[in-house]
């Protein structure tokens, strides 16, 4: 299923030619809507350089010089991080979307012998195939293109692929359903971005995403998806672009290098509490509507919103359990 990615970081669209390649990385906070479309809300870090190849026989695949094309970073600035995170959270609330997570894209033209994504290990043979495929992509100019809608908003089409693609493409058609699933999410997914049919395909090769606090996952390599990538490359249907890592949900903020220094700031705490009230209100209304005939619970919405964060979560958990039991009784 194809979805749209609005204002994508330029790194995901890094290109190249016989003269050189674009190299760099980015870290961006994402939101998404009830249609599963993704939005770049704020940039934590971005760097994009042009690496020119040597123009001498036998050295045409080796970098000669680097030229910086784009650079912006707040990852080492606590005050800027606080401001960005707080503003982003309120913006997501005001636009009636959800905090999806933090995405990292790394583009190295597959010139390195190892993947640049922590936790993802692939055989050298696979890396070499990706390197050769990237050369063909450069020669044929098959990188995905940026589209613009009627309001001149930049976007690209993306698809999520893999045996566990549901980990990133969360099931649900309503914002409250997505909020209910995402509120407990933690972990990350890693893989390769490939272009095909004008879309950027995110092929998940490994993940440790869970939706329950007591669930402990193990990292793996999705061999089936890796085989599909290899087959697509051989048939020149897929063309690799970059590596990606998506840390899901609000817990993704914990991956920021300075999180331990800023997490207790009053502005951060206030913004997170406001977001928590926002999503729990969505979920509360969902279960209230489902259980209105049974009059589950005695707290009014006003009482609910005045609960502490842990109390709200427990109330939602109790309400969900009550709905489950009622559903089982109904099916009998």
């Amino acid at each position: 299923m194809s979805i749209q990615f609005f204002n994508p970081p330029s790194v995901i669209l890094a290109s190249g030619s016989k003269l050189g390649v674009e190299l760099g990385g980015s870290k961006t906070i994402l939101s998404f809507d009830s249609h599963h479309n993704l939005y770049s809300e704020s940039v934590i870090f971005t760097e994009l350089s042009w690496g020119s190849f040597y123009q001498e026989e036998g050295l045409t695949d080796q970098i000669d010089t680097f030229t910086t094309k784009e650079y912006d970073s707040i990852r080492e600035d606590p005050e800027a991080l606080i401001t960005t995170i707080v503003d982003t959270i309120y913006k997501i609330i005001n636009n009636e979307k959800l905090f999806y997570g933090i995405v990292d894209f790394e583009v190295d033209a597959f010139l390195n012998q190892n993947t640049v994504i922590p936790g993802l290990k692939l055989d050298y043979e696979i890396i070499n195939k990706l390197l050769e495929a990237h050369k063909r992509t450069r020669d044929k100019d098959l990188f995905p293109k940026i589209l613009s809608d009627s309001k001149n908003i930049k976007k690209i089409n993306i698809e999520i692929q893999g045996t566990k693609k549901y980990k990133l493409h969360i099931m649900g058609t309503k914002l409250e359903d997505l909020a209910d699933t995402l509120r407990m999410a933690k972990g990350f997914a890693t893989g390769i971005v490939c272009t095909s049919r004008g879309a950027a395909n995110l092929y998940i090769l490994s993940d440790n995403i869970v939706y329950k606090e007591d669930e402990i996952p193990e990292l793996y390599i999705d061999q089936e998806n890796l085989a599909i990538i290899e087959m697509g490359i051989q048939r020149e249907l897929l063309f690799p672009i970059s590596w990606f890592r998506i840390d899901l949900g609000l817990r993704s903020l914990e991956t920021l290098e300075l999180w331990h220094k800023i997490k207790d700031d009053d502005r951060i705490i206030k913004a997170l509490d406001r977001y928590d009230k926002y999503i729990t209100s969505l979920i509360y209304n969902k279960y209230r509507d489902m259980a209105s005939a049974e009059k589950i619970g005695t707290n009014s919405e006003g009482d609910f919103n005045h609960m502490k964060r842990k109390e709200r979560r427990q109330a939602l958990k109790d309400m969900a359990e009550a709905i489950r039991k009622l559903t089982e009784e109904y099916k009998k």
Side-chain angles (χ1 to χ4, degrees):
M1 178 180 177
S2 179
I3 59 178
Q4 294 183 324
F5 188 177
F6 290 86
N7 295 317
S10 53
V11 172
I12 194 178
L13 301 170
S15 60
S17 68
K18 295 180 179 180
L19 299 178
V21 290
E22 289 183 322
L23 306 168
S26 69
K27 183 184 288 287
T28 307
I29 297 178
L30 301 180
S31 69
F32 77 139
D33 60 24
S34 59
H35 299 291
H36 298 263
N37 296 316
L38 297 176
Y39 300 80
S40 293
E41 295 291 351
S42 51
V43 175
I44 303 298
F45 168 79
T46 184
E47 180 180 17
L48 192 62
S49 298
W50 177 259
S52 299
F53 292 132
Y54 282 100
Q55 296 303 302
E56 300 176 20
E57 187 175 351
L59 299 175
T60 54
D61 291 328
Q62 297 184 32
I63 303 296
D64 180 16
T65 60
F66 289 92
T67 303
T68 300
K69 297 180 63 177
E70 181 181 336
Y71 182 81
D72 185 21
S73 176
I74 61 169
R75 60 182 175 180
E76 298 177 354
D77 185 338
E79 188 62 30
L81 265 177
I82 291 171
T83 300
T84 297
I85 292 171
V86 170
D87 289 348
T88 298
I89 289 174
Y90 286 124
K91 180 181 177 183
I92 290 172
I93 295 171
N94 292 334
N95 289 329
E96 298 183 342
K97 293 186 287 189
L98 297 174
F99 190 108
Y100 184 74
I102 294 178
V103 62
D104 288 89
F105 292 108
E106 293 284 345
V107 54
D108 63 352
F110 304 98
L111 296 169
N112 296 323
Q113 290 298 310
N114 299 298
T115 73
V116 295
I117 300 295
L120 181 61
K121 296 181 179 180
L122 298 176
D123 294 337
Y124 292 146
E125 182 181 352
I126 300 298
I127 301 296
N128 288 333
K129 288 180 180 179
L130 294 171
L131 172 61
E132 292 301 319
H134 196 274
K135 289 180 183 179
R136 293 195 295 272
T137 307
R138 298 196 300 266
D139 292 343
K140 296 184 178 182
D141 189 24
L142 294 171
F143 296 96
K145 306 299 182 183
I146 295 180
L147 307 174
S148 295
D149 61 15
S150 58
K151 297 181 180 179
N152 202 33
I153 297 177
K154 295 180 179 179
K155 60 184 178 180
I156 61 172
N157 293 322
I158 68 170
E159 294 184 13
I160 298 172
Q161 309 286 358
T163 58
K164 295 187 178 181
K165 62 183 179 181
Y166 64 88
K167 293 286 190 77
L168 292 182
H169 193 96
I170 303 170
M171 300 300 291
T173 57
K174 296 181 179 180
L175 202 63
E176 52 265 36
D177 294 327
L178 299 173
D180 196 8
T181 301
L182 192 61
R183 66 190 177 94
M184 301 300 292
K186 63 178 179 179
F188 63 87
T190 65
I192 301 173
V193 180
C194 296
T195 182
S196 176
R197 303 187 305 275
N201 292 260
L202 276 60
Y203 282 86
I204 302 173
L205 295 183
S206 184
D207 87 271
N208 65 354
I209 294 172
V210 296
Y211 296 99
K212 296 179 180 179
E213 290 185 353
D214 56 351
E215 189 175 352
I216 302 176
E218 293 184 2
L219 286 172
Y220 63 95
I221 296 295
D222 188 339
Q223 296 294 341
E224 180 179 330
N225 215 20
L226 193 56
I228 291 173
I229 294 174
E230 288 190 72
M231 186 181 299
I233 287 175
Q234 291 173 359
R235 297 180 179 179
E236 296 192 5
L237 299 174
L238 290 179
F239 302 89
I241 303 172
S242 63
W243 308 99
F244 78 87
R245 167 171 166 152
I246 296 179
D247 288 85
L248 204 61
L250 275 179
R251 296 285 293 273
S252 63
L253 293 172
E254 298 173 9
T255 66
L256 298 176
E257 295 177 14
L258 296 183
W259 180 247
H260 66 288
K261 291 185 177 181
I262 67 174
K263 64 185 179 68
D264 295 324
D265 185 272
D266 289 342
R267 291 164 293 177
I268 292 285
I269 293 173
K270 183 179 179 181
L272 290 177
D273 187 65
R274 177 67 185 87
Y275 184 78
D276 188 69
K277 289 180 179 178
Y278 165 65
I279 61 168
T280 50
S281 179
L282 285 173
I283 301 167
Y284 174 84
N285 290 335
K286 166 189 172 180
Y287 287 124
R288 181 195 61 187
D289 292 342
M290 291 173 64
S292 58
E294 302 295 334
K295 300 186 182 298
I296 294 177
T298 57
N299 291 317
S300 67
E301 184 173 356
D303 294 332
F304 182 81
N305 288 331
H306 283 89
M307 292 180 183
K308 294 180 180 179
R309 188 182 301 180
K310 288 185 178 180
E311 293 174 338
R312 287 198 298 269
R313 289 179 178 174
Q314 186 59 47
L316 286 172
K317 185 177 180 180
D318 293 343
M319 198 179 297
E321 180 63 17
I323 290 294
R324 185 187 66 79
K325 290 181 178 179
L326 279 174
T327 302
E328 289 178 355
E329 288 297 324
Y330 177 76
K331 289 182 178 180
K332 291 179 181 179

